[in-house]
Amino acid sequence: MGSAHTRSRGSRSRRWRRVVLSAAVGAALVLVAAACSGNSSTAPGTTPVKGGTAVFAEPPNSPPDYIFPFMTAADSSNVNLFDFTYLMYRPLYWFGQGSQPVFNPSLSLASAPVFSGRNVTINLKHYMWSNGTPVTAQDVMFWINMMKGVPDDWFDFTPGGFPANVSNIKVVSPTELTMTMNKAYSPTWFQYNELSQITPMPAAWDRTASGPSNCDTTVSDCAAVYNFLAGQAKDLSTYATSPVWGIVDGPWKLSAFNADGHMTYVPNKSYSGPVKPKLAAFEEVPFTTDAAEYDVMQSPNSSTKIDYGYLPNQDAPAKPANAAVGANPLASKGYTLAPLYTWGYDFYILNFQSTTGNGPVIRQLYFRQALAYLSNQKAVIEGPMRGYGEATVGPVGSTPVSKFLSPTGRAETNSQAGPYPFSIAKAKALLSSHGWTVDPGGTTTCADPAKCGPGIAKGKALSFNFPYASGLGWLASAMAALQSNAAQVGIKLNLDSKPINDVTEASLANCVVAKISCDWDFAAWGGGTFSPDYLPTGDVYFLTGAATNSGGYSDAENDALIEKTLTSGNLSYMYAWENFLSAQLAQEWQPEPAFQLTEVANNLKGVLPQSSTLSINPENWYFVK
């Protein structure tokens, strides 16, 4: 499954990786001037203006904070990928055409892979690094060898996955690379979920503190090279001046960077891609909350204006049920409202390996079912999400509409109910029938250990640590509603709002990767996106041992069902897997909101349609007068 990155143009975690929101460092907002003619709230015309500076509002508490494109699970997020590194360092294959999460051949560094039996051939196009050297097959090999050398430091690592599932990898020429798969995989899966991870790296990065190295040809050299580059990436103050990070092959390069989230990009004059930047500069600015961002959107002036921002859900007029867009309170300020829905789904994590004493409880299916009955998805969509949302019923999202959601899932989505429709009574009955003394308003305890389940002692209380990402009004409201529902059956949810980086640091870095601390039970960061694994097959998030299997879920039948989706494009295998996992509740499904109620200045063109993969292409943007 694609990386379900964390939400915030960053988490949706791996997507819920982190895919997910980044924490804001600075509390104060200092907007730089939008230095472009015609960048005002007056009615725009249609004549393109060369140059100008477009200002982009970062999601709340989510400044980009990691530049090295070979990221760990703790560093990966949608913000760090799509709003930062991909602007400068292009992945081998680009995904997203219009609003559809599909392969984009025109923006990819290589032509579509050619499959012949188990053999795969990759042919690179003509792209240049900004230091004057070409992007070559050896640069692709540099990335692959690093994945071999330090697999645990790559957020998308899956045991037995790429590159362990290929052999005979050869650089045939500067523009051609070949490899042999260890069995006949689905070509679509192999491109969308395996080759999609690769971002070629320049030969100039192949070095350590003591000098040049040979990671591109010798795997044993890669750990030292990784340690050097990861060390360089920890020094945020050098991002705009470093001779390392200044070598780019994307359309943009940094000219200024502040750890609080303020940053400026200027065009890479050596960019070889099909669309050259039209803007003179592109700026990103931080906010600690969506309310702070909205304050600026409501009061633009000639020197301070956001060109690409967002309307907080709580400030949006309720959208009519059958309408695509509701009333726009910023229309009079010169903005167009364009809801952005991502290729992903929403959930909160259950920690099957929790060390708080609640692991045995979480591992009981009846308990997970009881939790599911406490989630009122329809009420959250109509309330905090203001109508801009879809029910989540399993591990494959319903937006954009695709062939990958099973017929069962589609029916459950349309009813906004899911496999376990909201029912306080059913949640209470499940707990009572399994040996718990339910104490509404108090704390439910285990009265009959034989019924409660293995490892659950008499007197065990249903009280859980539940960190969730701060900065999103709708998420805070949804968490409060869930806490209230749970209290009606004596389940105590100890909510703890904190920056998303703190949430993912605890859940992913410390618990899943380092395995040093798993003292949390549930966690929420606002959803996940499929990236850079765009085919929702489940191997990234739910296969036993996967690096972004955030809760440590493990089930032999689930693993076997996932394996079938990797070797065959027959959708019946995907449907069987998602229907199984939907009912098993490896995570608790939550309604999927519009990722962002985007507001675009009327005089900024080229932004729409937005990509459901969350990638942005400011090289397409231009002002009109």
Side-chain angles (χ1 to χ4, degrees), residues 97-115:
Q97 288 199 69
S99 63
Q100 290 299 306
V102 296
F103 169 53
N104 188 323
S106 67
L107 295 184
S108 294
L109 301 184
S111 301
V114 177
F115 294 85

Side-chain angles (χ1 to χ4, degrees), residues 64-71 75 77-91 94 155 199 205 239 245 248-252 263 265 284:
D65 62 0
Y66 197 78
I67 197 169
F68 183 24
F70 197 99
M71 301 177 186
D75 296 313
S77 71
N78 289 328
V79 166
N80 282 338
L81 284 175
F82 302 118
D83 298 346
F84 196 35
T85 62
Y86 279 7
L87 299 181
M88 300 174 284
Y89 318 111
R90 285 304 211 214
W94 189 272
F155 74 81
T199 296
W205 288 8
Y239 279 7
W245 311 127
V248 304
D249 64 347
W252 300 94
M263 62 193 69
Y265 302 84
E284 296 187 18

Side-chain angles (χ1 to χ4, degrees), residues 441-569:
T443 305
T444 291
T445 56
C446 176
D448 187 348
K451 292 183 178 180
C452 294
I456 302 175
K458 185 174 182 178
K460 170 64 180 175
L462 294 183
S463 179
F464 302 89
N465 296 336
F466 198 159
Y468 72 94
S470 60
L472 294 172
W474 70 265
L475 181 58
S477 296
M479 290 293 97
L482 180 63
Q483 182 184 53
S484 177
N485 294 342
Q488 294 184 56
V489 294
I491 296 177
K492 186 176 182 181
L493 301 182
N494 304 305
L495 298 178
D496 184 11
S497 172
K498 57 179 63 179
I500 191 170
N501 279 1
D502 291 348
V503 179
T504 57
E505 177 72 17
S507 61
L508 289 170
N510 292 344
C511 184
V512 178
V513 179
K515 301 188 184 304
I516 58 176
S517 175
C518 289
D519 57 351
W520 57 278
D521 301 309
F522 310 148
W525 43 67
T529 58
F530 301 121
S531 60
D533 304 87
Y534 299 93
L535 196 67
T537 50
D539 45 305
V540 171
Y541 306 113
F542 299 106
L543 198 65
T544 298
T548 48
N549 182 344
S550 308
Y553 177 74
S554 179
D555 182 273
E557 184 173 355
N558 173 67
D559 291 348
L561 289 169
I562 288 175
E563 290 296 338
K564 290 182 179 179
T565 69
L566 311 185
T567 56
S568 172

Side-chain angles (χ1 to χ4, degrees), residues 348-386:
Y348 65 85
I349 294 293
L350 304 174
N351 190 4
F352 290 80
Q353 51 199 353
S354 172
T355 56
T356 65
N358 286 322
V361 178
I362 293 170
R363 290 191 286 272
Q364 303 303 309
L365 176 58
Y366 75 82
F367 174 72
R368 304 197 299 275
Q369 291 171 330
L371 286 178
Y373 281 126
L374 298 173
S375 179
N376 190 341
Q377 297 205 39
K378 185 176 182 179
V380 172
I381 292 170
E382 295 176 350
M385 293 180 183
R386 311 298 289 152

Side-chain angles (χ1 to χ4, degrees), residues 47-330:
T47 303
V49 175
K50 183 175 176 59
T53 297
V55 178
F56 172 95
E58 295 166 359
N61 258 353
S62 307
D65 62 0
Y66 197 78
I67 197 169
F68 183 24
F70 197 99
M71 301 177 186
T72 66
D75 296 313
S76 71
S77 71
N78 289 328
V79 166
N80 282 338
L81 284 175
F82 302 118
D83 298 346
F84 196 35
T85 62
Y86 279 7
L87 299 181
M88 300 174 284
Y89 318 111
R90 285 304 211 214
L92 183 66
Y93 289 112
W94 189 272
F95 291 83
Q97 288 199 69
S99 63
Q100 290 299 306
V102 296
F103 169 53
N104 188 323
S106 67
L107 295 184
S108 294
L109 301 184
S111 301
V114 177
F115 294 85
S116 179
R118 295 191 294 118
N119 297 314
V120 185
T121 300
I122 297 171
N123 289 293
L124 273 73
K125 302 175 186 176
H126 176 70
Y127 273 80
M128 298 293 292
W129 294 106
S130 57
N131 65 354
T133 61
V135 178
T136 68
Q138 203 66 53
D139 298 336
V140 176
M141 198 71 211
F142 184 7
W143 177 274
I144 293 173
N145 279 352
M146 187 162 286
M147 291 180 76
K148 288 182 176 181
V150 289
D152 290 340
D153 290 307
W154 173 236
F155 74 81
D156 214 15
F157 169 68
T158 300
F162 190 81
N165 56 8
V166 295
S167 61
N168 301 320
I169 308 176
K170 296 179 182 178
V171 173
V172 178
S173 75
T175 60
E176 182 179 341
L177 181 143
T178 61
M179 62 186 70
T180 301
M181 301 181 294
N182 62 4
K183 58 184 175 182
Y185 293 106
S186 160
T188 301
W189 173 80
F190 195 79
Q191 180 186 7
Y192 274 57
N193 286 20
E194 301 291 80
L195 300 178
S196 60
Q197 301 176 50
I198 299 171
T199 296
M201 299 188 295
W205 288 8
D206 195 353
R207 58 167 297 136
T208 65
S210 59
S213 189
N214 297 290
C215 176
D216 67 335
T217 59
T218 308
V219 173
S220 59
D221 283 3
C222 293
V225 173
Y226 170 80
N227 290 336
F228 170 73
L229 294 172
Q232 294 289 303
K234 292 178 181 178
D235 189 356
L236 278 67
S237 67
T238 66
Y239 279 7
T241 58
S242 167
V244 174
W245 311 127
I247 301 173
V248 304
D249 64 347
W252 300 94
K253 61 190 310 180
L254 279 175
S255 66
F257 181 92
N258 191 298
D260 70 359
H262 288 89
M263 62 193 69
T264 302
Y265 302 84
V266 294
N268 168 21
K269 296 181 180 179
S270 301
Y271 180 56
S272 310
V275 181
K276 309 299 189 292
K278 303 171 183 63
L279 298 169
F282 168 64
E283 295 178 354
E284 296 187 18
V285 294
F287 296 90
T288 54
T289 66
D290 52 7
E293 185 268 354
Y294 189 49
D295 286 343
V296 175
M297 296 285 286
Q298 293 181 95
S299 55
N301 56 55
S302 59
S303 62
T304 301
K305 182 175 184 291
I306 296 171
D307 300 297
Y308 182 115
Y310 45 89
L311 172 67
N313 288 73
Q314 62 269 24
D315 295 302
K319 180 181 73 67
N322 296 321
V325 182
N328 180 14
L330 292 175

